[in-house]
């Protein structure tokens, strides 16, 4: 199978030497001074069409060049901030393959330079063939917030109180930063997203059915967080400071600064942010345990605080060694010291004729402190034969390290006197190192045919030792709770996709990805001072992941898309670790070293209709998944144990409707309605304690609604309001109750354009809680809820600086200009 795949890949790569048919080259100058202008936008469209045949920006000499154009008539559009748009027409043919504009002189737009008014609001959402893109750099409601706050305002995305991200109701989603995992796993994802400042994010890309170019990891798709990296002439930057509060409690403060610099040879950027955050958390749980004719209950209420200081920094530099060769280095880092305190009150007893008879009370307190360090270093090289034909190589190293010290004090009372008390000190350190190599090749032969191919290798090394003691001085180690989990994973992938058009309105993309996956684990335990090893090697697997995308362009701006992909969700390190988490001694969690990957076949149908001020998108999806991994629970000796199992097969189908409406030229409304059907087959298997756990088949229809309104107000005020509602949904062994929320924000842009102020409120109704019910007939019934943060109010002041574009050229005589346009078979041999 491997040989077949490699032969297919070589066969697809064979035609990469195909030659382009024609080209256009020219130079843009200031009409008054005659000097060249860099970073001017150049767009080429076929005459009479809005489709883009090519595009580029001018270099430091004002020169542009676009290749790969088919023979025909074109319109060239020149645009630049502060200047009037200028158009030129040209024709390419076998006799005249190349067009040449000696000089295109553009004039300043005096009206724009004298007074700039914001007459509209930047659209926050756009559609591409394989993804939805949400521009969030102007999201008021998340100003001063975190990446988690941003994600909670993205349609079909949800973030739990533990920081777990889900898409279309499923947690089987991959989260990337700048198109790469960069060390994000389910272990650290919540911490990183909570500490990453929202103001560093430019856009969120939601890829619900990725092609073979992308990793197949995550059965419902990929969420890609793209960080800001402006490319503007000269320099540009901003400084920001803000503070927040939760109800009447202080919520923290933040400060950040960033700067971008661009010239013809170098693009550079730097960003630094400091944040201090204070969160409240609260959880309740009521459980009934059934023992034959007896029924006991456990009622608990927990509350606490999560505090932390962290610093986030990014910097990068790209050196344009030549017009075709670009070398880059990028660094991202984060460090912090999270602190948590928690207190849980328990009441336990017996149920007699529906009445609670209290037998005991318990109090459990937790104090945790920690240190966290994360960094990612990337080195890149890109060679461009043209703007549509290039090779890009990246090598990166990602490191995530954390250390935590937690103290648990547990006291049990019968009446007024304590019956017994226990103390535990737990120390754990974690290290996650990822190495990644990526090579991408792309060749657009013409506007209708494109080849993409590449390789990606990721090599993960995790180590997470945990030690527990019965005294503060660490003299009495509890060896039964010692664990050191080592997780190594190697993944090699090759992919190729080919895009084309069979007819004028019918487009297609076919792709194939092959992945070789190998995992080894070692769970180490201690007894009598001796550490024993328990290595496990998961048999290496080679899998093929095909993808097919079809699109048909109908008249009057209607478009149909149909696609199919095969996806996988592999267990991550923490899910395979059998170590038991004793944070709450009545609810113990542990991993499962026997977990298998779950595989999905996903089909999606999209319809897109555009009007001048409105857009409607309808996506219907159907997904089947084998060996689905879900959290399950069982009762033993009055303690609830939770782990992850491959429970059964599932089916998920639904319709996602997205509408964008521009109303009264001042209101931009985005509405998303997701309606879905979910079915989980019955399951029956043996648990680690010897119990036979059975779950009945369950099915459910659920839906969620999200609406975001951006409103332009007088005197440079802007308002943003976001509301959401999630209906009841099925989970393993039960269901989750509905929840809803409301966020709002205001922004004021001052007249000088340098200062702005934002005021925003999150969870204004204090309603963003997670409430779930679980039960097993004859075993237990549990009602639990939790929330983090609650109602929040924050304000942020921003100062922007920079020249925004290159310095205006000095005046000079412009007489005697030569003719600006010529064509010829070898018209590219000239110097500017």
């Amino acid at each position: 199978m491997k040989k077949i795949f490699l032969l297919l890949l070589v066969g697809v790569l064979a035609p990469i030497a195909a030659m382009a048919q024609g080209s256009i080259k020219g130079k843009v100058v200031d009409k008054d001074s005659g000097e060249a202008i860099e970073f001017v936008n150049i767009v080429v469209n076929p005459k009479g069409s809005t489709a883009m045949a090519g595009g580029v920006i001018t270099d430091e000499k004002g020169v542009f060049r676009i290749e790969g154009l088919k023979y025909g008539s074109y319109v060239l559009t020149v645009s630049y901030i502060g200047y009037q748009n200028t158009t030129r027409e040209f024709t390419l043919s076998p006799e005249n393959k190349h067009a040449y504009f000696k000089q295109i002189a553009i004039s300043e737009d005096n009206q724009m330079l004298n007074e700039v008014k914001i007459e509209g609001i930047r659209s926050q959402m756009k559609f591409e063939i394989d993804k939805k893109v949400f521009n969030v750099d102007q999201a008021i409601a998340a100003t001063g917030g975190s990446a988690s706050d941003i994600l909670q305002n993205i349609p079909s995305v949800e973030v739990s109180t533990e920081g777990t991200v889900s898409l279309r109701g499923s947690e089987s989603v991959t989260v990337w930063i700048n198109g790469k995992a960069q060390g994000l796993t389910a272990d650290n994802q919540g911490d990183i997203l909570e500490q990453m400042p929202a103001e560093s994010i430019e856009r969120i890309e939601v890829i619900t059915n990725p092609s073979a170019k992308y990793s197949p990891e995550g059965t419902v798709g990929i969420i890609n967080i793209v960080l800001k990296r402006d490319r503007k002439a000269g320099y540009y930057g901003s400084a920001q400071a803000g503070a927040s509060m939760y109800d009447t409690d202080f919520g923290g403060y933040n400060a950040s600064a960033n700067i971008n610099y661009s010239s013809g040879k170098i693009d550079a950027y730097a960003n630094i942010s400091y944040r201090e955050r204070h969160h409240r958390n609260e959880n309740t749980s009521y459980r009934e345990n059934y023992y034959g004719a007896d029924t006991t209950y456990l009622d608990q209420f927990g509350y606490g605080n999560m505090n932390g200081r962290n610093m986030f920094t990014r910097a990068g530099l790209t050196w344009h060694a030549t017009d075709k060769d670009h070398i880059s280095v990028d660094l991202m880092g984060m460090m912090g010291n999270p602190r948590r305190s928690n207190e849980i009150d328990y009441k336990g007893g017996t149920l007699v004729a529906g009445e609670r008879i209290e037998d005991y009370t318990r109090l459990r307190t937790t104090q945790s402190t920690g240190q966290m360090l994360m960094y990612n270093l990337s080195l890149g090289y890109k060679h461009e034969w043209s703007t549509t034909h290039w090779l890009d190589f990246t090598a990166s190293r990602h490191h995530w390290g954390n250390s935590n010290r937690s103290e648990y004090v547990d006291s049990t009372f019968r009446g007024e006197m304590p019956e017994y008390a226990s103390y535990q000190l737990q120390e754990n350190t974690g290290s996650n190192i990822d190495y990644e190599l990526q090579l991408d090749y792309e060749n657009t032969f013409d506007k209708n045919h494109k080849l993409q191919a590449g390789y990606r290798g990721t090599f993960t090394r995790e180590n997470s030792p945990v030690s527990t003691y019965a005294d503060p001085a660490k003299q009495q180690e509890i060896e039964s709770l010692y664990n050191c989990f080592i997780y190594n994973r190697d993944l090699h992938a090759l992919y190729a996709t080919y895009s084309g058009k069979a007819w004028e309105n019918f487009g297609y993309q076919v792709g194939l990805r092959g992945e070789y996956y190998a995992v080894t684990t070692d769970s180490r335990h201690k007894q009598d001072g001796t550490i024993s090893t328990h290595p496990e090697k998961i048999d290496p697997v080679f899998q093929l992941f095909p993808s097919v995308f079809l699109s048909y362009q109908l008249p009057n701006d209607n478009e149909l898309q149909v696609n199919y992909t095969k996806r996988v969700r592999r267990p991550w390190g923490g899910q395979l670790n059998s170590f038991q988490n004793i944070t709450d001694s009545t609810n113990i969690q542990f991993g499962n070293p026997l977990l298998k990957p779950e595989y999905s076949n996903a089909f999606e149908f999209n319809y897109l209709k555009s009007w001048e001020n409105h857009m409607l998108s309808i996506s219907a999806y159907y997904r089947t998944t084998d060996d689905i991994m879900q959290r399950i629970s069982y009762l033993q000796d009055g303690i609830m144990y939770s782990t992850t199992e491959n429970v059964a097969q599932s089916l998920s189908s639904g319709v996602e409707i997205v509408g964008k409406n521009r109303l009264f030229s001042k209101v931009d409304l985005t509405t998303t309605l997701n309606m879905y059907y979910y079915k989980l087959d019955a399951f029956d298997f043996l648990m680690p304690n010897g119990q036979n756990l059975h779950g009945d088949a369950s099915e459910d229809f659920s839906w969620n609604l999200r609406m975001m309104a951006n409103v332009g107000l007088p005197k440079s005020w802007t308002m943003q309001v976001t509301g959401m509602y999630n209906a009841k949904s099925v989970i393993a062994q039960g269901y989750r109750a509905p929840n809803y929320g409301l966020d709002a924000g205001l922004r004021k842009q001052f007249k000088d354009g340098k200062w702005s102020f934002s005021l925003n409120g999150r969870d204004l109704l204090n309603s963003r809680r997670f409430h779930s019910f679980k039960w097993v007939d004859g075993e237990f019934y549990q009602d639990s809820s939790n929330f983090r943060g609650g109602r929040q109010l924050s304000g942020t002041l921003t100062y922007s600086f920079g020249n925004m574009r290159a310095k205006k050229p000095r005046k000079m005589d412009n007489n005697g200009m030569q003719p600006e346009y010529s064509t010829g078979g070898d018209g590219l041999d000239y110097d500017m």
Side-chain angles (χ1 to χ4, degrees):
M1 183 64 73
K2 297 179 188 177
K3 293 181 179 179
I4 294 174
F5 174 72
L6 292 173
L7 287 172
L8 288 173
L9 185 64
V10 171
V12 174
L13 288 172
I16 64 174
M19 300 297 293
Q21 292 177 323
S23 65
I24 173 70
K25 186 173 182 178
K27 180 176 182 178
V28 179
V29 300
D30 181 277
K31 185 175 182 180
D32 294 330
S33 68
E35 288 200 356
I37 308 176
E38 60 179 332
F39 298 110
V40 178
N41 292 310
I42 309 295
V43 175
V44 173
N45 303 98
K47 191 172 182 180
S49 172
T50 58
M52 189 174 76
V56 73
I57 60 173
T58 58
D59 62 16
E60 71 276 11
K61 298 179 180 179
V63 175
F64 65 89
R65 178 173 179 171
I66 300 175
E67 298 178 350
L69 299 175
K70 296 179 68 175
Y71 301 141
S73 297
Y74 293 92
V75 176
L76 181 145
T77 302
V78 181
S79 61
Y80 189 56
I81 296 175
Y83 286 79
Q84 297 177 1
N85 287 0
T86 301
T87 61
R88 295 289 187 272
E89 295 186 7
F90 64 96
T91 300
L92 300 178
S93 65
E95 295 76 24
N96 298 302
K97 297 181 179 180
H98 309 292
Y100 165 35
F101 287 93
K102 179 70 177 179
Q103 285 187 339
I104 301 178
I106 59 177
S107 303
E108 290 183 345
D109 189 334
N110 293 322
Q111 183 177 359
M112 180 180 292
L113 292 175
N114 292 333
E115 181 179 15
V116 178
K117 293 184 178 181
I118 300 176
E119 297 293 345
I121 304 168
R122 179 182 175 185
S123 175
Q124 289 193 310
M125 183 178 179
K126 67 177 181 179
F127 289 80
E128 297 182 8
I129 188 170
D130 58 352
K131 61 190 171 187
K132 299 180 179 71
V133 181
F134 300 88
N135 297 306
V136 299
D137 55 337
Q138 299 298 318
I140 304 171
T143 303
S146 66
S148 295
D149 299 329
I150 284 277
L151 287 172
Q152 288 183 358
N153 284 318
I154 300 299
S156 300
V157 177
E158 191 173 293
V159 182
S160 73
T161 55
E162 292 81 20
T164 303
V165 179
S166 60
L167 175 64
R168 288 179 174 174
S170 173
E171 295 178 3
S172 179
V173 58
T174 298
V175 180
W176 282 347
I177 300 174
N178 288 340
K180 298 177 182 176
Q182 297 200 357
L184 263 71
T185 68
D187 281 324
N188 58 38
Q189 175 180 282
D191 289 332
I192 292 178
L193 297 179
E194 179 63 28
Q195 297 181 65
M196 181 179 292
E199 59 266 19
S200 68
I201 301 174
E202 177 180 303
R203 66 183 186 274
I204 305 290
E205 298 176 345
V206 179
I207 312 171
T208 53
N209 215 16
S211 70
K213 177 182 178 180
Y214 301 97
S215 167
E217 191 76 42
T219 54
V220 298
I222 298 169
I223 298 174
N224 184 29
I225 300 172
V226 181
L227 304 180
K228 292 179 180 177
R229 184 178 175 177
D230 291 350
R231 177 186 168 94
K232 294 180 176 147
Y235 69 94
Y236 169 78
S238 66
Q240 195 173 70
S244 60
M245 61 183 296
Y246 297 93
D247 290 331
T248 58
D249 299 330
F250 174 63
Y253 57 87
N254 63 87
S256 66
N258 69 85
I259 187 168
N260 297 269
Y261 170 79
S262 287
S263 69
K265 283 293 183 182
I266 292 177
D267 295 330
Y269 68 93
N271 167 267
I272 187 169
S273 301
Y274 177 82
R275 297 165 57 79
E276 180 167 339
R277 304 199 79 184
H278 301 264
H279 281 305
R280 294 185 296 110
N281 64 81
E282 182 180 300
N283 61 82
T284 63
S285 177
Y286 174 75
R287 186 171 72 232
E288 295 180 359
N289 309 317
Y290 307 127
Y291 300 100
D294 296 329
T295 300
T296 64
Y297 75 89
L298 180 63
D299 192 7
Q300 68 183 64
F301 172 75
Y303 56 92
N305 293 286
M306 294 180 289
N307 307 317
R309 303 183 180 95
N310 77 283
M311 184 170 290
F312 178 83
T313 183
R314 298 175 58 241
L317 184 146
T318 300
W319 174 40
H320 305 288
T322 70
D323 290 343
K324 298 181 181 296
D325 299 285
H326 315 279
I327 300 171
S328 63
V329 57
D330 295 272
L331 175 66
M332 179 175 68
M334 181 187 298
M335 60 186 300
N337 59 335
R339 305 181 305 278
R340 295 178 173 87
S341 63
N342 195 56
E343 184 172 302
I344 306 176
D345 294 312
Y346 302 87
K347 294 180 180 179
T350 307
L351 280 176
V352 179
E355 182 179 350
R356 300 184 191 180
I357 300 176
E358 184 177 302
D359 294 332
Y360 67 91
T361 62
R362 292 176 60 195
L363 175 65
R364 182 176 179 83
T365 61
T366 303
Q367 297 287 336
S368 297
T369 59
Q371 297 287 333
M372 181 270 292
L373 174 65
M374 181 271 281
Y375 69 85
N376 185 84
L377 176 64
S378 297
L379 302 175
Y381 168 73
K382 185 174 184 179
H383 178 76
E384 295 179 313
W385 289 277
S386 69
T387 57
T388 59
H389 185 194
W390 47 263
L391 184 72
D392 194 358
F393 173 75
T394 304
S396 60
R397 183 185 193 273
H398 182 91
H399 172 82
W400 160 270
N402 71 302
S403 61
N404 288 284
R405 184 180 191 273
S406 300
E407 294 181 277
Y408 307 102
V409 179
D410 198 339
S411 303
T412 301
F413 298 82
R414 293 188 185 272
E416 298 295 329
M417 299 297 294
E419 186 174 85
Y420 67 89
S422 65
Y423 172 90
Q424 289 181 350
L425 168 63
Q426 190 174 91
E427 294 184 334
N428 64 81
T429 58
S431 174
N432 181 315
I433 298 176
D434 283 299
Y435 299 93
E436 184 171 304
L437 300 174
Q438 186 155 340
L439 180 67
D440 294 303
Y441 172 83
E442 183 171 312
N443 190 357
T444 304
F445 304 113
D446 52 49
K447 69 175 183 178
N448 292 330
H449 297 90
K450 179 170 69 175
L451 170 70
Q452 296 174 309
Y455 163 81
R456 184 185 182 194
T458 57
F459 313 94
T460 301
R461 304 292 181 262
E462 293 184 17
N463 190 342
S464 54
V466 179
S467 299
T468 307
Y469 304 89
D471 65 310
K474 300 192 295 186
Q475 299 298 312
Q476 305 173 43
E477 183 176 4
I478 307 174
E479 292 188 345
S480 61
L481 295 179
Y482 173 85
N483 178 259
C484 179
F485 186 69
I486 297 173
Y487 172 80
N488 297 324
R489 186 186 79 163
D490 292 346
L491 178 64
H492 300 271
L494 286 170
Y495 77 87
T497 69
Y498 190 85
S499 306
K501 278 192 173 182
W503 302 283
E504 184 64 27
N505 296 325
F506 179 75
Y508 63 89
Q509 182 195 87
V510 293
L512 185 64
R513 185 183 186 94
E515 291 199 346
Y516 175 83
Y517 174 82
V519 171
T520 60
T521 68
D522 186 359
S523 186
R524 300 181 178 181
H525 307 289
K526 183 181 290 187
Q527 186 175 4
D528 299 329
T530 302
I531 295 177
S532 60
T533 63
H534 305 274
E536 295 281 349
K537 182 177 181 180
I538 301 175
D539 292 336
V541 176
F542 178 79
Q543 286 280 344
L544 292 176
F545 298 92
S547 67
V548 179
F549 289 75
L550 305 174
S551 66
Y552 189 78
Q553 189 74 41
L554 298 171
N556 302 319
D557 293 321
N558 289 269
E559 184 176 354
L560 299 177
Q561 298 175 358
V562 179
N563 54 65
Y564 161 78
T565 63
K566 183 179 179 181
R567 310 285 300 162
V568 64
R569 181 191 182 192
R570 301 181 177 103
W572 46 273
Q575 289 179 311
L576 299 171
N577 186 4
S578 59
F579 173 70
Q580 295 187 350
N581 186 335
I582 62 169
T583 303
D584 180 355
S585 60
T586 65
N587 294 281
I588 295 178
Q589 302 177 3
F590 60 96
N592 178 5
L594 302 178
L595 270 181
K596 298 181 294 183
E598 60 180 54
Y599 291 94
S600 293
N601 291 289
F603 301 84
E604 193 163 307
F605 170 83
N606 299 311
Y607 168 75
L608 185 63
K609 167 65 177 175
S610 300
W611 296 269
E612 183 176 355
N613 293 309
H614 308 280
M615 185 277 301
L616 174 66
S617 168
I618 301 176
S619 299
Y621 54 92
Y622 179 89
R623 183 175 65 250
T624 59
T625 305
D626 296 325
D627 293 322
I628 188 169
M629 294 184 288
Q630 284 218 1
R631 204 77 177 161
I632 58 96
S633 303
Y634 65 92
L635 196 65
Q636 182 177 342
D637 299 327
I639 298 174
M640 183 66 70
Y641 291 85
S642 298
T643 187
T644 304
E645 290 281 356
N646 297 106
V647 294
Q649 284 69 46
S650 71
L651 183 151
S652 181
S653 61
V655 177
E656 185 178 64
I657 303 173
V658 180
K660 288 184 62 65
N661 299 279
R662 189 76 170 176
L663 307 174
F664 317 115
S665 76
K666 295 291 184 180
V667 180
D668 189 351
L669 189 66
T670 302
T671 306
T672 304
L673 173 63
N674 185 23
M675 300 175 290
Y676 57 93
Y677 167 80
Y678 179 78
K679 180 183 178 182
L680 180 67
D681 291 346
F683 54 87
D684 196 352
F685 52 85
L686 195 66
M687 294 301 298
N689 65 344
Q691 293 182 15
N692 186 56
L693 187 64
H694 173 77
D696 293 329
S698 59
E699 57 183 335
D700 182 42
F701 173 81
S702 188
W703 58 278
N704 56 63
L705 176 69
R706 192 183 303 261
M707 182 176 291
M708 178 184 292
N710 289 277
V711 184
L713 302 175
K715 298 185 178 180
S716 300
W717 282 92
T718 307
M719 179 175 68
Q720 185 181 92
V721 180
T722 303
M724 50 77 66
Y725 177 83
N726 294 312
K728 172 185 171 182
S729 59
V730 166
I731 58 176
Q733 298 178 298
Y735 69 90
R736 192 175 70 184
N739 63 68
Y740 58 93
L742 179 68
D743 301 335
L746 285 170
R747 173 181 287 148
K748 166 67 175 178
Q749 186 77 36
F750 295 97
K751 288 185 177 180
D752 61 3
K754 296 181 178 180
W755 291 93
S756 65
F757 175 74
S758 298
L759 179 68
N760 63 75
R762 181 179 176 272
D763 196 12
L764 294 176
L765 304 178
N766 205 25
S767 57
R768 195 167 279 155
R769 298 168 181 260
F770 293 85
H771 192 182
S772 63
F773 300 85
K774 283 189 173 185
W775 65 88
V776 173
D777 291 340
E779 295 280 342
F780 71 90
Y781 167 83
Q782 181 169 288
D783 174 354
S784 59
S785 67
N786 57 76
F787 88 97
R788 181 180 65 180
R791 186 184 293 113
Q792 175 187 354
L793 183 67
S794 61
T796 304
L797 184 66
T798 302
Y799 172 74
S800 300
F801 59 88
N803 59 4
M804 299 296 291
R805 64 181 178 89
K807 186 181 295 184
K808 177 179 169 61
R810 65 183 182 273
K811 302 275 185 178
M812 64 180 290
D813 189 8
N814 195 34
N815 294 329
M817 288 182 59
Q818 299 182 23
E820 67 165 2
Y821 171 52
S822 65
T823 60
D826 58 354
L828 295 179
D829 297 326
Y830 53 85
D831 181 31
M832 290 188 174

